Amino acid sequence: MSGRSLHECLRSFPGIVLEVSPGGVVLDSNGRLERALACEVVGWPLAPLLDSTSQQKWSRLLASREEPQPEWHWELVFQTPGSMEMRTVQAVWGGEGTERRLWLLEHEPSRKAERLYDEISQLNAELVNAQRELSREQRRLAAALRDATAAVAARDEVLAFVSHDLRNPLHTILMAADVLDLPIPDERKAVQVQVIRRAATSMSRLIEDLLAVSEVEAGRLALECEPLLLDAVFEEVCGQLEGLARQKRQRLHWRIAPDVPAVHADRYRLARVLANLAGNAVKFTPEDGSILMEAARNGAEVVVMVRDTGIGIPEEELPRVFQRFWHAGRARSGGAGLGLAIAKGVVEAHGGRIWAESVVGEGTTFFFTLPVSGEGA
């Protein structure tokens, strides 16, 4: 029989047929093993496809090529991450010298063995699926544990913050109320009423900020967007801060480039963002300093900038400026440290971005973007 006819016969063989080099590398295959394991075998060593017990058998089988007996029956277990197949093969050495070859031909199994092979394959597939599901569940539980730990830490942080920052104005209100119980002139009573009103306003703003942060982090921040010209918003914010800036002899001004169109934004939320950024600029800029709010168009968005000539923020602190309760190691100056976290949530809810640039001793610039209204696109 010619070599061609021999190969044709082996390829039509109903079981596995492999041609293997003396070193254990598969030189040819009739494709049966590839279909069983769903992987390539030709050109690769056979040993990695065997379980540990079969690898020991395989080593002995390769070493037997010098023995006179021409054939043996071997039970080998082939395995991959997704499959395991136990097959009985007949090993036949042939050829001489550099042409020496080992042929593995699958021995036809009995029906009982065939059922066993099927059961083993099914059990292995179930085991592989169970291991994958277990790994997914372990990853899910690990993520849930991280989230729970972060939630507990955040809860403790908020409780500590609220207990501290609500205690002061509450204590002020109680003291003022005690004074009102005393027989004092109406003028002093009016002063105490103002003290109570300021403390209550401070508490109200703090609670409002906490609720806003909660909405931001839960993704429930409601916006009422409309086409909005920035001139009116800039004027409103400057009007709110003008008195404080005048006390510090600061120059507070704004400008808007001529080509800036209306933006698609929630006026109330946008005014709070600008008031927070400009208010911080006034607070941390020394006397005789300057604060500028400006806006310029950049394609389909408007970039709003709040620049100051204040004390600046250290470079290593810039990545943390939008975290809750951030103060950059400075005195709290009466602030809750929630404003920038809220500003970030509001801007991102509009589909924009917010960031900061700063040089210590020279000043800070906050930038944020807003989408152009459809009317100005």
Side-chain angles (χ1 to χ4, degrees):
M1 179 180 292
S2 67
R4 179 182 178 83
S5 299
L6 175 60
H7 279 277
E8 289 175 353
C9 289
L10 292 176
R11 289 195 178 280
S12 62
F13 185 74
I16 293 172
V17 178
L18 299 176
E19 180 185 351
V20 184
S21 73
V25 176
V26 179
L27 302 175
D28 199 2
S29 167
N30 67 345
R32 303 282 181 180
L33 184 59
E34 288 92 327
R35 285 193 290 273
L37 301 182
C39 68
E40 292 292 329
V41 299
V42 176
W44 298 92
L46 190 64
L49 297 177
L50 302 171
D51 71 355
S52 57
T53 302
S54 296
Q55 286 182 10
Q56 296 175 8
K57 293 180 182 179
W58 180 240
S59 297
R60 294 198 302 272
L61 195 155
L62 291 177
S64 69
R65 64 182 181 273
E66 302 300 334
E67 297 182 12
Q69 295 149 300
E71 60 186 51
W72 298 264
H73 290 102
W74 301 76
E75 283 189 349
L76 300 177
V77 177
F78 298 91
Q79 67 176 12
T80 66
S83 178
M84 181 168 68
E85 302 283 336
M86 185 172 70
R87 301 299 174 96
T88 301
V89 296
Q90 185 177 14
V92 180
W93 281 103
E96 298 292 339
T98 59
E99 297 299 320
R100 189 98 171 127
R101 296 289 184 269
L102 174 64
W103 293 87
L104 298 182
L105 294 86
E106 184 178 7
H107 185 69
E108 186 175 356
S110 65
R111 291 184 178 276
K112 182 177 181 180
E114 203 169 54
R115 286 196 298 272
L116 178 61
Y117 299 153
D118 292 341
E119 290 174 5
I120 291 175
S121 297
Q122 183 178 353
L123 287 172
N124 181 70
E126 292 174 358
L127 176 61
V128 169
N129 289 335
Q131 289 173 332
R132 290 173 179 167
E133 183 62 31
L134 178 61
S135 296
R136 285 194 292 268
E137 187 66 13
Q138 288 174 332
R139 289 194 294 271
R140 188 190 67 79
L141 290 174
L145 178 59
R146 287 194 299 270
D147 292 343
T149 302
V152 170
R155 180 205 63 189
D156 293 344
E157 183 182 30
V158 170
L159 287 175
F161 165 76
V162 171
S163 64
H164 178 275
D165 282 56
L166 286 181
R167 184 184 297 118
N168 290 339
L170 182 59
H171 183 62
T172 300
I173 290 172
L174 292 174
M175 290 182 61
D178 288 341
V179 172
L180 289 175
D181 284 338
L182 300 175
I184 59 176
D186 290 342
E187 294 80 2
R188 287 193 61 189
K189 286 185 178 181
V191 170
Q192 296 305 312
V193 169
Q194 290 300 318
V195 169
I196 291 173
R197 181 174 288 111
R198 285 195 297 271
T201 300
S202 175
M203 295 175 69
S204 176
R205 286 175 179 170
L206 172 58
I207 292 170
E208 185 178 351
D209 283 348
L210 287 170
L211 291 174
V213 166
S214 176
E215 290 176 344
V216 166
E217 294 184 348
R220 297 194 304 266
L221 187 66
L223 298 178
E224 296 181 5
C225 294
E226 59 181 340
L228 181 66
L229 292 173
L230 292 176
D231 307 60
V233 182
F234 277 32
E235 278 191 26
E236 176 185 338
V237 172
C238 278
Q240 294 173 9
L241 299 171
E242 186 176 11
L244 181 58
R246 189 182 301 113
Q247 290 177 15
K248 299 180 71 174
R249 300 194 301 275
Q250 294 171 340
R251 182 172 178 238
L252 174 62
H253 58 295
W254 59 272
R255 65 178 177 226
I256 297 177
D259 63 337
V260 171
V263 296
H264 186 65
D266 182 314
R267 175 169 181 150
Y268 169 74
R269 301 284 190 186
L270 177 58
R272 283 204 64 188
V273 170
L274 271 172
N276 177 268
L277 298 179
N280 284 343
V282 171
K283 184 185 302 181
F284 295 108
T285 296
E287 292 187 356
D288 300 317
S290 174
I291 297 95
L292 169 65
M293 295 189 301
E294 57 184 329
R297 180 164 187 169
N298 182 24
E301 62 185 11
V302 170
V303 182
V304 179
M305 293 151 279
V306 179
R307 306 180 188 274
D308 66 53
T309 57
I311 60 177
I313 301 170
E315 183 178 359
E316 63 273 14
E317 293 286 347
L318 284 175
R320 300 177 52 238
V321 297
F322 299 106
Q323 294 178 2
R324 291 184 305 171
F325 313 129
W326 174 83
H327 288 280
R330 300 175 295 190
R332 295 182 61 162
S333 304
L338 295 173
L340 291 178
I342 295 171
K344 181 175 185 292
V346 170
V347 169
E348 291 180 348
H350 280 83
R353 298 164 289 118
I354 187 169
W355 68 98
E357 297 176 1
S358 185
V359 177
V360 173
E362 296 184 14
T364 301
T365 302
F366 280 88
F367 303 83
F368 67 89
T369 64
L370 293 168
V372 171
S373 169
E375 298 176 5

